[in-house]
Amino acid sequence: MNQISQHLTEIRQRIAAACRRAGRQPEQVTILAATKTRSVREVQAAVEAGISHIGENYVQELLTKKEHLDQAGYTDVAWHVIGHLQRNKVKYVASFCHLIQSVDSLRLAKEISKRARQADRTQPVLIEVNISGEDTKFGIRPEEVAELAAQVVQLDNIQLQGLMTMPPYSDDPEDSRPHFQKLAALSQQLMDGGLPPATMRHLSMGMSGDYEVAVEEGATIVRLGTVLFGPRED
Ligand SMILES: *Cc1c(COP(=O)(O)O)cnc(C)c1O
């Protein structure tokens, strides 16, 4: 077994254990490989190890890796945008992207709606929430999410599927727990306020340092780089 396969086996065990602690099912949690700065060979190795969801921060990197994997015959990979998305890049991804996780403005949502319509499809998205209020992070403030969500669900060719967040970095995974709890509570609050449950089916939260805590708090997508591939050289 190669290294990525070994890592993936351990990650799956840890997710299963976190699910048991929380009374959840492992099938409710999607493992997404966060592949920024990883080579096309590493990404292909991850797919060969069983990864089927890939998230990229940078559109150009995503397109390069997709082209490589398409040519290698891996055409059923689900591609996600997990980094800040500029409006002028939407046209490159709205024809195929499985999930754009970083919607943080109505202007961006409108551009996604327009480009998805041109591609004759519906683009699933998440709203990125700056749940900690840290000012260096992308995402909108929790107080603004209800209004943006209500606007996004009115647009054609775009389908809201939930919320994404990235808490401040910490060595202690327990530091992330209150942020994950806040995101889960916000999602519940939006449904209580009338948003259909299908628009809040996903909570994308948890990275290498805190994904087990995130799963305990209801994550449906964990975004993993370092624990899957090893340390990044950046
Ligand atoms: C890099 C990145 C991740 C994964 O980070 P690791 O700590 O390496 O697991 C997850 N989500 C986003 C948005 C990222 O940029």
Side-chain angles (χ1 to χ4, degrees):
M1 232 183 356
N2 67 31
Q3 221 195 8
I4 293 175
S5 301
Q6 281 171 17
H7 291 165
L8 187 55
T9 301
E10 177 169 348
I11 290 163
R12 286 193 175 125
Q13 286 165 355
R14 288 177 177 274
I15 288 175
C19 282
R20 277 195 296 279
R21 292 194 291 276
R24 304 183 64 212
Q25 300 299 321
E27 300 74 45
Q28 298 173 313
V29 183
T30 296
I31 300 172
L32 173 146
T35 55
K36 61 173 177 278
T37 77
R38 308 297 176 176
S39 68
V40 288
R41 294 186 54 176
E42 286 175 287
V43 178
Q44 183 169 335
V47 170
E48 285 167 353
I51 287 289
S52 54
H53 290 259
I54 292 182
E56 263 292 343
N57 294 64
Y58 309 109
V59 167
Q60 189 50 56
E61 269 195 61
L62 190 158
L63 296 175
T64 303
K65 287 165 188 173
K66 179 181 180 342
E67 191 184 344
H68 175 90
L69 285 188
D70 282 351
Q71 280 172 8
Y74 298 103
T75 50
D76 51 4
V77 170
W79 295 92
H80 299 237
V81 171
I82 61 172
H84 181 67
L85 180 60
Q86 292 171 305
R87 275 181 302 135
N88 63 5
K89 298 281 171 62
V90 170
K91 57 178 175 284
Y92 301 115
V93 294
S95 60
F96 67 87
C97 198
H98 183 76
L99 186 60
I100 295 175
Q101 300 201 7
S102 45
V103 170
D104 59 0
S105 72
L106 182 59
R107 290 173 80 205
L108 177 60
K110 282 182 171 167
E111 177 66 13
I112 293 170
S113 166
K114 175 180 150 189
R115 297 295 179 176
R117 184 169 66 247
Q118 288 171 357
D120 198 22
R121 67 190 287 269
T122 294
Q123 176 63 63
V125 302
L126 306 182
I127 292 177
E128 181 172 359
V129 187
N130 179 358
I131 203 76
S132 66
E134 200 192 12
D135 47 47
T136 58
K137 284 283 192 285
F138 293 113
I140 63 169
R141 288 183 293 134
E143 314 84 80
E144 298 171 328
V145 176
E147 188 184 353
L148 179 58
Q151 291 166 326
V152 170
V153 297
Q154 296 301 317
L155 298 174
D156 294 325
N157 299 76
I158 186 168
Q159 184 184 47
L160 182 61
Q161 293 194 344
L163 306 176
M164 183 268 235
T165 201
M166 198 167 152
Y169 178 79
S170 164
D171 284 332
D172 182 357
E174 286 301 326
D175 289 344
S176 298
R177 191 183 298 276
H179 302 301
F180 296 151
Q181 288 172 338
K182 272 188 203 159
L183 194 74
L186 178 59
S187 167
Q188 186 58 53
Q189 203 182 311
L190 293 167
M191 288 187 279
D192 293 346
L195 276 182
T199 67
M200 285 291 129
R201 75 182 78 152
H202 282 303
L203 288 174
S204 175
M205 57 189 197
M207 303 175 22
S208 290
D210 54 18
Y211 68 96
E212 293 159 273
V213 170
V215 168
E216 289 172 7
E217 298 301 337
T220 65
I221 302 172
V222 292
R223 308 179 310 269
L224 306 179
T226 316
V227 280
L228 191 60
F229 295 105
R232 258 189 311 275
E233 291 161 19
D234 56 8

